[in-house]
Structure formats: structure tokens, C-alpha cells
Amino acid sequence: MRPARLACLLLAALVFAAAPARADKRDDAKKHFQAGKKHHDTGEWDAALEEYLAAYQLDPNPAFLFNIGQVYRLKGDRTKALDYYQRYLEAAPNAKGSAEARAYAEKLKAELDAEAAAARAQQEAEARRAAEAQRAERATEEARQQQLEAERRAAEAARVAAAEQRQRAERRLRVAGISAAAAGAVGIALGVKFGLDARDRERQVSDPGLKTWTTSLDQAVDDGKSKNLAMEISVGVGAALLVAGGALLVLGWPRREATVTPTVGSNGAGGAVGWDF
């Protein structure tokens, strides 16, 4: 029995020793509350909050939570005000100020929910605008790429058409040059024949064995002169045609030509250099 009695006496001593300490804390909390109330009444919100919070730390009375919520609300910090109103209602749902705290909490929650919804709507609208801007940018880029591709195709078609036209002109020149050269060769060949005929006529009239001059010899002389003239004309014309044909062949010979072809890629436009034969 003696140890049990000693334990009871010790417990009683601890209880009586703690009671003054709790009383002292409540007195200090009351002082902080009164100081906070003065700051509250004069609109000094930061100082009032400091005192109310100090009072609540010393004495966790739910009433302090209501006062802290009031100051936060008046200060404009609705999120913290709602938090303290809700903490107050959880700790003292049927207290004297619970109806007022509940009304403030509902009003603040509705305002914060509406602002959150408006913020979400604004974010969604901004996201839609950004997506539309990206789509417009992609469409613009695709249109630019299509235009570059169309320009490239048009340039390639024009180059091919010009090359074909040049090749046709060159073929015509080559055909004309070959024809002129062939005609020149024929003219020279005729000139050679006329020259040989004129040589025959000359040998005929200059034969040392002739005894008398006859009318046929006069005709041979005249024919020789005409053949000689025909030779000169044929050779001259044939040579001119050969020269002209050679010039036409040179002009119509396929030329090597540098071309620049535009190219289109993902990083923009460029060009490729090539040679036509």
C-alpha cells in the first residue's frame, strides 16, 4: 500500500503544479488577445494577426481561430481566411460565431471557386488561341512550301521548255548546215566535172596534129569557155555553201549550259546547279 500511496501523492503534486502553469499561459494568451483586439479595431492587420496567433499558440481556444479568420478576410487574404473559418467550424461547429463563420466561409469558397473556374476558362481559352495560332502558322508554312514547290516546278518546266526549244533550233541549224554542206560538196563536184570537161576541150583544140581549123573546133572553144565558167561558178558556190554549212553546224552543235534549279526543304529553299548537254 505504501508505494501506491506515494504514487497518488506524486500525481496529485504534478497536477497541482501544472495548474498554475496553465493558468499563466491563459493569462498570457488573454493579454495577446486583448493586444490583438486593439490592433484589430484600428485596422492594423499584421500586428493583430501576430497577437492572435501568439494567443492561439498559448491557448488553442477555437475562438481565436475565428478572430484570425476575420483578420485574414479583412486583410484580403481569402484563402487563409477560408482555412481558418473552416478550422473554427470543425473545432466549434455550434459555437456562438459558427453561423457567421459559416456564412463567410461559404461566400469565400464561392468567390474562390468562381475565380478558379475563371482562371481555368482563361487558361483553356489561351490554350485554344495558342493551338489556333500554331495551326495558322502551320497552314502558312504549308502554303509557303506549296508556293515554293510550285515556283520550283514552274522554273523546271520553263527550263525544260527552253531546253527543248533550243534543241529544236539546234537540230534545224544542224540539218540546214548538213544540207548546205552537201549542196556545197555537190557544187564542187560539178565544178570539178566542168573543169575536166573544159580541160578536154582545151586538149581538143590544142592538138599539135590539127591541120585545119573547123567549125567544130570553134564550138569546142566556146564550149570549153562555158565549161570553165561553169566550173568557177560551181566551185565558188560550192565552197560558199561548204563554209556556210560548217558555220551552221557549229551554231547548231549542242551547247553545254549551266542551270540552277530551286529546291524546297524543311529548313527553307535553296538551289542546285547542273549542266545541260
Side-chain angles (χ1 to χ4, degrees), residues 73 85 89 97-110:
R73 179 179 62 82
Y85 282 137
L89 291 171
S98 60
E100 186 178 1
R102 192 170 290 108
Y104 283 135
E106 291 175 355
K107 182 175 181 295
L108 291 173
K109 187 175 184 307

Side-chain angles (χ1 to χ4, degrees), residues 23 38 44 52 69 137 152 169 215 233:
K38 291 180 180 179
E44 300 172 352
Y52 284 154
E137 185 176 356
R152 185 193 68 78
T215 306
I233 294 173

